[in-house]
Amino acid sequence: EDQVTQSPEALRLQEGESSSLNCSYTVSGLRGLFWYRQDPGKGPEFLFTLYSAGEEKEKERLKATLTKKESFLHITAPKPEDSATYLCAVQGYNFNKFYFGSGTKLNVKP
Amino acid sequence: DTAVSQTPKYLVTQMGNDKSIKCEQNLGHDTMYWYKQDSKKFLKIMFSYNNKELIINETVPNRFSPKSPDKAHLNLHINSLELGDSAVYFCASSHRQGGQPQHFGDGTRLSIL
């Protein structure tokens, strides 16, 4: 069964302290892996799509990478405004379905 | 302009009642979705419609009935509400069936007393 596991559940960083979030997945025929940001009381906001192992995408302080079994979201020199829950999702052979992880709640202290 | 809008944002009601949540998208997308986000933050797909046609119905109780009057609207009606229905319900849309990325509304928090 297609599945997504994210770790850690929560992460507290000091402003400027770089770190990585992990997304491990099992899926039949990966069509895409997605990263979303979710702020409290809001819907998920799309960040990146990765399609194949070795691919990398960057946006400001965020960089997403993909291997055959997992994806990392690297956060370089984070700021308090980066505080949010980061969700990972995969789309497999059944392209109509997207499977989400439970997210990593990031808190960046000034 | 809000791309995907849901109403109401909060819904507090008694067990056994019937309620509806409305969703509208102004992105011109063909496909719309309903997701349920539980207390552990897992987003699970419930339904998907493509051009008003149901394409996904994920083992959801019959008490939940989606309706798509046109491709810009997907409403969710829930009969005989139960305590376990308490959650945040998100509507989303994508350009086409299986299209990426999905655009989400801000959710409807349903609380059953």
Side-chain angles (χ1 to χ4, degrees):
Chain A
E1 182 177 303
D2 297 349
Q3 190 173 319
V4 177
T5 303
Q6 291 188 245
S7 62
E9 284 187 21
L11 182 62
R12 297 181 70 174
L13 298 173
Q14 286 297 124
E15 185 172 1
E17 180 187 0
S18 301
S19 188
S20 296
L21 281 54
N22 178 264
C23 170
S24 297
Y25 65 90
T26 54
V27 66
S28 302
L30 181 71
R31 286 180 176 262
L33 184 140
F34 314 95
W35 283 98
Y36 287 83
R37 170 190 170 128
Q38 186 174 19
D39 292 299
K42 298 288 187 180
E45 179 186 345
F46 171 74
L47 292 173
F48 303 109
T49 304
L50 300 166
Y51 294 102
S52 57
E55 190 175 359
E56 298 181 353
K57 293 273 180 74
E58 281 189 73
K59 181 179 179 180
E60 297 180 356
R61 295 176 292 282
L62 301 177
K63 179 180 176 181
T65 62
L66 181 64
T67 72
K68 288 188 176 180
K69 293 185 178 181
E70 56 191 350
S71 176
F72 291 95
L73 185 64
H74 306 278
I75 304 176
T76 302
K79 297 182 177 181
E81 53 261 43
D82 294 323
S83 297
T85 295
Y86 290 86
L87 299 172
C88 173
V90 296
Q91 181 187 33
Y93 180 75
N94 184 343
F95 61 88
N96 288 315
K97 292 187 182 181
F98 295 81
Y99 296 90
F100 281 82
S102 57
T104 293
K105 187 173 182 179
L106 175 65
N107 187 4
V108 182
K109 295 285 191 181
Chain B
D1 280 345
T2 304
V4 181
S5 58
Q6 298 179 225
T7 54
K9 187 166 177 66
Y10 299 98
L11 191 51
V12 181
T13 189
Q14 301 275 359
M15 206 164 53
N17 284 350
D18 303 338
K19 290 293 178 184
S20 292
I21 306 172
K22 295 186 176 183
C23 178
E24 176 182 4
Q25 55 95 2
N26 63 5
L27 297 167
H29 288 170
D30 286 345
T31 308
M32 296 184 73
Y33 310 80
W34 277 112
Y35 283 87
K36 179 180 181 180
Q37 188 172 44
D38 60 24
S39 57
K40 293 188 176 182
K41 297 296 186 181
F42 277 107
L43 267 167
K44 292 185 180 177
I45 192 164
M46 300 172 68
F47 301 103
S48 176
Y49 271 74
N50 186 63
N51 267 323
K52 303 193 298 177
E53 181 183 345
L54 178 67
I55 54 174
I56 292 178
N57 182 344
E58 277 293 286
T59 59
V60 177
N62 291 337
R63 299 181 294 104
F64 291 78
S65 53
K67 283 189 171 53
S68 182
D70 55 60
K71 73 174 191 178
H73 295 84
L74 180 61
N75 304 322
L76 184 64
H77 187 76
I78 315 170
N79 290 325
S80 303
L81 281 157
E82 300 178 357
L83 289 175
D85 297 333
S86 294
V88 182
Y89 292 85
F90 285 97
C91 177
S93 72
S94 63
H95 181 59
R96 53 177 170 75
Q97 197 171 331
Q100 316 147 5
Q102 295 183 334
H103 297 261
F104 286 82
D106 284 340
T108 295
R109 181 174 292 277
L110 174 62
S111 300
I112 310 300
L113 303 178

mmCIF file of all heavy atoms in Angstrom, chain A residues 44-60:
data_model
loop_
_atom_site.group_PDB
_atom_site.id
_atom_site.type_symbol
_atom_site.label_atom_id
_atom_site.label_comp_id
_atom_site.label_asym_id
_atom_site.label_seq_id
_atom_site.Cartn_x
_atom_site.Cartn_y
_atom_site.Cartn_z
ATOM 1 N N PRO A 44 -3.054 23.678 2.856
ATOM 2 C CA PRO A 44 -1.684 23.479 2.376
ATOM 3 C C PRO A 44 -1.389 24.349 1.159
ATOM 4 O O PRO A 44 -2.227 24.493 0.271
ATOM 5 C CB PRO A 44 -1.661 21.991 2.009
ATOM 6 C CG PRO A 44 -2.750 21.371 2.823
ATOM 7 C CD PRO A 44 -3.818 22.419 2.899
ATOM 8 N N GLU A 45 -0.175 24.884 1.136
ATOM 9 C CA GLU A 45 0.279 25.733 0.036
ATOM 10 C C GLU A 45 1.420 25.018 -0.670
ATOM 11 O O GLU A 45 2.410 24.634 -0.046
ATOM 12 C CB GLU A 45 0.745 27.083 0.574
ATOM 13 C CG GLU A 45 1.271 28.043 -0.481
ATOM 14 C CD GLU A 45 1.839 29.303 0.143
ATOM 15 O OE1 GLU A 45 1.579 29.557 1.329
ATOM 16 O OE2 GLU A 45 2.555 30.039 -0.564
ATOM 17 N N PHE A 46 1.299 24.857 -1.964
ATOM 18 C CA PHE A 46 2.278 24.096 -2.743
ATOM 19 C C PHE A 46 3.655 24.759 -2.735
ATOM 20 O O PHE A 46 3.780 25.976 -2.896
ATOM 21 C CB PHE A 46 1.764 23.955 -4.174
ATOM 22 C CG PHE A 46 2.768 23.378 -5.130
ATOM 23 C CD1 PHE A 46 3.064 22.017 -5.088
ATOM 24 C CD2 PHE A 46 3.426 24.176 -6.043
ATOM 25 C CE1 PHE A 46 3.986 21.474 -5.965
ATOM 26 C CE2 PHE A 46 4.350 23.644 -6.915
ATOM 27 C CZ PHE A 46 4.628 22.293 -6.870
ATOM 28 N N LEU A 47 4.695 23.914 -2.549
ATOM 29 C CA LEU A 47 6.074 24.392 -2.615
ATOM 30 C C LEU A 47 6.811 23.807 -3.823
ATOM 31 O O LEU A 47 7.333 24.548 -4.652
ATOM 32 C CB LEU A 47 6.823 24.004 -1.334
ATOM 33 C CG LEU A 47 6.394 24.683 -0.039
ATOM 34 C CD1 LEU A 47 7.130 24.048 1.149
ATOM 35 C CD2 LEU A 47 6.659 26.173 -0.087
ATOM 36 N N PHE A 48 6.939 22.472 -3.875
ATOM 37 C CA PHE A 48 7.754 21.819 -4.903
ATOM 38 C C PHE A 48 7.095 20.536 -5.400
ATOM 39 O O PHE A 48 6.380 19.885 -4.663
ATOM 40 C CB PHE A 48 9.121 21.392 -4.329
ATOM 41 C CG PHE A 48 9.938 22.472 -3.718
ATOM 42 C CD1 PHE A 48 10.119 22.518 -2.342
ATOM 43 C CD2 PHE A 48 10.550 23.434 -4.502
ATOM 44 C CE1 PHE A 48 10.889 23.514 -1.761
ATOM 45 C CE2 PHE A 48 11.316 24.430 -3.937
ATOM 46 C CZ PHE A 48 11.490 24.470 -2.553
ATOM 47 N N THR A 49 7.461 20.164 -6.624
ATOM 48 C CA THR A 49 7.224 18.829 -7.154
ATOM 49 C C THR A 49 8.559 18.248 -7.592
ATOM 50 O O THR A 49 9.349 18.922 -8.263
ATOM 51 C CB THR A 49 6.294 18.842 -8.381
ATOM 52 O OG1 THR A 49 5.069 19.479 -8.047
ATOM 53 C CG2 THR A 49 6.007 17.428 -8.842
ATOM 54 N N LEU A 50 8.808 16.991 -7.193
ATOM 55 C CA LEU A 50 9.991 16.262 -7.639
ATOM 56 C C LEU A 50 9.517 15.008 -8.355
ATOM 57 O O LEU A 50 8.585 14.340 -7.890
ATOM 58 C CB LEU A 50 10.882 15.885 -6.442
ATOM 59 C CG LEU A 50 11.403 17.068 -5.611
ATOM 60 C CD1 LEU A 50 11.969 16.570 -4.290
ATOM 61 C CD2 LEU A 50 12.462 17.828 -6.391
ATOM 62 N N TYR A 51 10.145 14.673 -9.474
ATOM 63 C CA TYR A 51 9.649 13.568 -10.293
ATOM 64 C C TYR A 51 10.549 12.333 -10.290
ATOM 65 O O TYR A 51 10.054 11.217 -10.452
ATOM 66 C CB TYR A 51 9.469 14.036 -11.735
ATOM 67 C CG TYR A 51 8.391 15.072 -11.916
ATOM 68 C CD1 TYR A 51 8.708 16.425 -12.064
ATOM 69 C CD2 TYR A 51 7.053 14.706 -11.932
ATOM 70 C CE1 TYR A 51 7.706 17.370 -12.227
ATOM 71 C CE2 TYR A 51 6.050 15.649 -12.101
ATOM 72 C CZ TYR A 51 6.395 16.978 -12.248
ATOM 73 O OH TYR A 51 5.401 17.918 -12.408
ATOM 74 N N SER A 52 11.869 12.534 -10.144
ATOM 75 C CA SER A 52 12.746 11.371 -10.250
ATOM 76 C C SER A 52 13.936 11.525 -9.318
ATOM 77 O O SER A 52 14.334 12.641 -8.946
ATOM 78 C CB SER A 52 13.216 11.204 -11.689
ATOM 79 O OG SER A 52 13.867 12.366 -12.140
ATOM 80 N N ALA A 53 14.507 10.371 -8.938
ATOM 81 C CA ALA A 53 15.649 10.341 -8.020
ATOM 82 C C ALA A 53 16.780 11.201 -8.564
ATOM 83 O O ALA A 53 17.085 11.162 -9.763
ATOM 84 C CB ALA A 53 16.110 8.907 -7.814
ATOM 85 N N GLY A 54 17.365 11.986 -7.679
ATOM 86 C CA GLY A 54 18.456 12.869 -8.064
ATOM 87 C C GLY A 54 18.017 14.292 -8.342
ATOM 88 O O GLY A 54 18.838 15.206 -8.425
ATOM 89 N N GLU A 55 16.728 14.484 -8.465
ATOM 90 C CA GLU A 55 16.217 15.817 -8.769
ATOM 91 C C GLU A 55 16.261 16.704 -7.532
ATOM 92 O O GLU A 55 16.074 16.233 -6.414
ATOM 93 C CB GLU A 55 14.784 15.709 -9.284
ATOM 94 C CG GLU A 55 14.234 17.004 -9.855
ATOM 95 C CD GLU A 55 12.860 16.817 -10.465
ATOM 96 O OE1 GLU A 55 12.347 15.679 -10.466
ATOM 97 O OE2 GLU A 55 12.289 17.821 -10.934
ATOM 98 N N GLU A 56 16.518 17.992 -7.743
ATOM 99 C CA GLU A 56 16.543 18.965 -6.665
ATOM 100 C C GLU A 56 15.775 20.207 -7.113
ATOM 101 O O GLU A 56 15.788 20.571 -8.284
ATOM 102 C CB GLU A 56 17.986 19.370 -6.319
ATOM 103 C CG GLU A 56 18.846 18.236 -5.815
ATOM 104 C CD GLU A 56 20.259 18.688 -5.459
ATOM 105 O OE1 GLU A 56 20.598 19.859 -5.727
ATOM 106 O OE2 GLU A 56 21.009 17.876 -4.897
ATOM 107 N N LYS A 57 15.094 20.843 -6.141
ATOM 108 C CA LYS A 57 14.398 22.100 -6.421
ATOM 109 C C LYS A 57 14.708 23.060 -5.272
ATOM 110 O O LYS A 57 14.812 22.641 -4.123
ATOM 111 C CB LYS A 57 12.877 21.893 -6.492
ATOM 112 C CG LYS A 57 12.408 21.056 -7.670
ATOM 113 C CD LYS A 57 12.180 21.894 -8.893
ATOM 114 C CE LYS A 57 11.717 21.088 -10.089
ATOM 115 N NZ LYS A 57 10.320 20.637 -9.991
ATOM 116 N N GLU A 58 14.829 24.345 -5.590
ATOM 117 C CA GLU A 58 15.134 25.339 -4.567
ATOM 118 C C GLU A 58 14.185 26.518 -4.644
ATOM 119 O O GLU A 58 13.722 26.902 -5.735
ATOM 120 C CB GLU A 58 16.558 25.889 -4.760
ATOM 121 C CG GLU A 58 17.655 25.006 -4.248
ATOM 122 C CD GLU A 58 19.005 25.682 -4.260
ATOM 123 O OE1 GLU A 58 19.228 26.565 -3.414
ATOM 124 O OE2 GLU A 58 19.821 25.340 -5.124
ATOM 125 N N LYS A 59 13.901 27.069 -3.460
ATOM 126 C CA LYS A 59 13.090 28.281 -3.381
ATOM 127 C C LYS A 59 13.492 29.010 -2.108
ATOM 128 O O LYS A 59 13.234 28.525 -1.007
ATOM 129 C CB LYS A 59 11.609 27.922 -3.343
ATOM 130 C CG LYS A 59 10.673 29.106 -3.277
ATOM 131 C CD LYS A 59 9.235 28.629 -3.264
ATOM 132 C CE LYS A 59 8.261 29.793 -3.181
ATOM 133 N NZ LYS A 59 6.856 29.333 -3.177
ATOM 134 N N GLU A 60 14.144 30.126 -2.287
ATOM 135 C CA GLU A 60 14.634 30.931 -1.158
ATOM 136 C C GLU A 60 15.477 30.041 -0.236
ATOM 137 O O GLU A 60 16.501 29.516 -0.648
ATOM 138 C CB GLU A 60 13.460 31.590 -0.432
ATOM 139 C CG GLU A 60 12.706 32.568 -1.318
ATOM 140 C CD GLU A 60 11.544 33.244 -0.616
ATOM 141 O OE1 GLU A 60 11.250 32.903 0.549
ATOM 142 O OE2 GLU A 60 10.923 34.121 -1.236
#
